[in-house]
Amino acid sequence: MGTVTLGVSIAVPEPYGSQLQELRAGFGDAAAHGIPTHITLVPPTEVETDRLPAIRAHLAEVARAFEAFPMRLEGTGTFRPLSPVVFVRLAEGAPGCTRLQAEVRDPQGPLARELAFPYHPHVTVAHGISEEAMDRAFGELADYRAGWRCEGFALYEQGSDGVWRKLREYPFGTGAVGVPAQPAPRGDAAVPRP
């Protein structure tokens, strides 16, 4: 029996996901290309591999009962000095994310866990880099805007290389047991900046 490190999150869709990932890398965040742009529902959590079937079933059940909701990113925020993070604020969709993460982390479910900080949905764009670079991220993305309709979430696993990979998608309201993730397309297409 082994363990895996899992996370559950809402992916920021294209073109916004790639835009923010490239910007994060440009600010000097070395982890940028190993972390898909997302809104966390369950932070990195180590679990026994034999719990995966129960976790997948639980996530499918949560998704089946959930409905799509609007999401809008607008401006920046920071957790400094408590935590070295700059983020893009979630101006719309926070109640949906908060309810969803509570259901995913149900105390009676297979992903029950305490959080180090109160839940605050956001999109990290700088973490653990120099204060100057975090100030730059905060200023350059102050006018950032993006919107979409959240229609599901996904289960991710962190590899031994530190890279997070999508295992399964859970669309809302489908009753599906989860859709296996498709590999990301390869290529270096130019991504317009916001």
Side-chain angles (χ1 to χ4, degrees):
M1 214 60 64
T3 62
V4 291
T5 300
L6 302 177
V8 180
S9 63
I10 296 168
V12 174
E14 295 304 329
Y16 315 119
S18 293
Q19 289 172 351
L20 291 171
Q21 190 173 44
E22 290 305 316
L23 288 165
R24 183 173 179 171
F27 297 133
D29 191 328
H33 289 294
I35 304 172
T37 308
H38 68 281
I39 297 155
T40 299
L41 298 174
V42 176
T45 303
E46 189 173 328
V47 300
E48 298 288 332
T49 53
D50 64 352
R51 288 177 49 199
L52 280 169
I55 289 168
R56 287 183 178 133
H58 171 66
L59 294 176
E61 183 69 25
V62 170
R64 178 179 13 258
F66 228 83
E67 293 182 7
F69 58 93
M71 301 278 275
R72 185 167 45 90
L73 301 178
E74 188 173 294
T76 50
T78 184
F79 294 132
R80 295 183 293 173
L82 188 60
S83 182
V85 172
V86 171
F87 56 87
V88 175
R89 292 183 324 100
L90 194 57
E92 185 176 10
C97 291
T98 300
R99 192 175 121 236
L100 182 57
Q101 67 85 32
E103 291 185 25
V104 169
R105 290 187 316 102
D106 181 334
Q108 307 307 314
L111 281 171
R113 66 160 289 174
E114 294 294 320
L115 298 178
F117 301 102
Y119 183 72
H120 184 277
H122 64 280
V123 177
T124 298
V125 291
H127 180 225
I129 58 177
S130 73
E131 289 292 321
E132 181 182 329
M134 284 197 282
D135 289 344
R136 201 173 111 232
F138 188 88
E140 287 184 19
L141 291 171
D143 294 326
Y144 188 85
R145 304 284 185 273
W148 71 94
R149 191 161 177 76
C150 178
E151 297 181 347
F153 59 88
L155 175 65
Y156 292 81
E157 179 181 349
Q158 186 178 37
S160 58
D161 57 1
V163 175
W164 287 90
R165 293 174 180 87
K166 189 185 301 180
L167 296 179
R168 197 166 289 268
E169 295 179 340
Y170 294 90
F172 292 148
T174 63
V177 295
V179 180
Q182 300 299 312
R186 295 201 173 256
D188 295 318
V191 176
R193 293 196 179 244

